[in-house]
Amino acid sequence: MNVEMWIRALKAARAGAEVSQEGLATLIKWSPSTVAAIETGRRRPTMEFAVAADQALGTGGLLAGLLKEHEGDRAPSWFLPWHGYEEKAERLRHFEPCLIPGLLQTEEYARAIFSAGGINRSDRVEELLRLRMSRQQLLDRDDPPECVFLIDESALRRSIGGPAVMDRQLGRLLEAAELSHVRLHVVPLDAGAHVSLGGGFVLADLPGNDRFLCLDNTARGQIVDYPEWIGLVLRKWESLLGEALSQRASLELINKLKVTP
């Protein structure tokens, strides 16, 4: 299964239902330009899109099933549910103690991470890299989620991929911060000990007051919706936000660390 085959399946389903591109866009409440971009391969289909298209075209889950099969070829199994939650989220709150958050990483920076230690084969590195880069499209969507990123200052100072790669990564953070739906705050080193030195997390707020939590660990991510865990992480988030620099001061710090203008 590949993207080209999935696109052919989508077009065949549309033709069978006698629905045009514009008609599908109206039915699923996505922009016609997005539907066209997906059908021409310029934009990767998401699970949210596949589920909506299945419902509109009466395909009984075919498109979502094919896409899940395709994503399963590229993504770790634990990640598949999170991908759907991330796509549907109205707000994402992300804290990282050691790295730049994945949604804000440059390709060079992400490749250096996936290549570290030689654990991943070169073809696996490229698969993981394509997945990470495709996820970033949600920041440029017509209806992007509100995204708040808290980054420990140590992540800004850790030289991943070398000085040039790191410099371009800092530039990417400054560019992302210009987006109206993105807020970026740095937790400074002089904050000392804080409540989440043990690992990063992402909170996804979905429509209907649903909320999911993704926790990072060395082996794999863990996705939960346990109220007590989410309540604890929300308290940690508020504590971290209280320790963080304002957005203006955070961007000033990133500018100071950046070597080139």
Side-chain angles (χ1 to χ4, degrees):
M1 172 64 194
N2 56 39
V3 174
E4 289 75 19
M5 290 176 62
W6 189 90
I7 291 172
R8 288 199 292 271
L10 171 62
K11 290 179 177 178
R14 270 204 309 102
E18 298 183 346
V19 175
S20 66
Q21 275 189 0
E22 294 77 8
L24 179 59
T26 300
L27 288 170
I28 65 176
K29 296 181 173 58
W30 283 51
S31 71
S33 61
T34 298
V35 176
I38 288 174
E39 288 203 356
T40 55
R42 291 182 287 110
R43 181 165 176 174
R44 287 186 176 274
T46 65
M47 187 59 68
E48 180 185 10
F49 180 90
V51 169
D54 274 329
Q55 293 174 346
L57 301 174
T59 46
L62 171 67
L63 297 172
L66 290 174
L67 185 60
K68 183 175 181 180
E69 177 184 333
H70 167 62
E71 294 290 352
D73 292 339
R74 301 185 299 124
S77 58
W78 69 264
F79 180 76
L80 292 174
W82 180 254
H83 194 190
Y85 300 146
E86 193 175 61
E87 287 288 337
K88 295 176 184 176
E90 295 178 336
R91 179 167 61 165
L92 294 168
R93 285 174 281 184
H94 193 153
F95 169 71
E96 271 294 346
C98 300
L99 297 170
I100 304 301
L103 290 176
L104 300 178
Q105 291 174 5
T106 66
E107 185 170 332
E108 296 170 301
Y109 183 98
R111 180 177 278 109
I113 292 170
F114 293 136
S115 302
I119 293 176
N120 292 313
R121 301 187 315 271
S122 59
D123 58 339
R124 183 57 175 161
V125 168
E126 295 306 312
E127 287 175 353
L128 292 170
L129 187 61
R130 285 194 295 273
L131 174 62
R132 178 147 297 178
M133 294 299 102
S134 70
R135 286 174 55 210
Q136 295 183 3
Q137 294 175 359
L138 97 162
L139 294 179
D140 300 317
R141 238 171 36 190
D142 295 335
D143 58 339
E146 175 192 354
C147 296
V148 186
F149 298 97
L150 290 182
I151 307 173
D152 196 281
E153 184 180 341
S154 61
L156 304 178
R157 296 182 178 275
R158 183 181 298 274
S159 183
I160 303 292
V165 170
M166 203 60 212
D167 198 60
R168 287 188 284 272
Q169 176 61 72
L170 295 176
R172 167 60 181 150
L173 294 181
L174 295 174
E175 292 172 0
E178 294 179 359
L179 298 172
S180 61
H181 53 279
V182 171
R183 285 173 49 205
L184 194 156
H185 298 273
V186 175
V187 180
L189 289 175
D190 61 15
H194 60 65
V195 295
S196 200
L197 286 170
F201 58 83
V202 189
L203 280 161
D205 294 325
L206 277 61
N209 296 319
D210 287 333
R211 182 174 285 154
F212 290 88
L213 169 66
C214 182
L215 299 167
D216 283 339
N217 64 47
T218 304
R220 52 170 286 162
Q222 185 178 15
I223 301 166
V224 299
D225 61 352
Y226 307 139
E228 60 271 28
W229 288 28
I230 290 175
L232 173 61
V233 170
L234 282 170
R235 292 196 295 275
K236 289 191 172 189
W237 174 266
E238 292 302 324
S239 176
L240 289 166
L241 197 57
E243 297 281 3
L245 301 174
S246 68
Q247 176 152 292
R248 179 176 178 179
S250 297
L251 299 183
E252 288 175 352
L253 174 59
I254 293 170
N255 266 307
K256 288 179 181 177
L257 294 174
K258 194 175 186 307
V259 176
T260 59

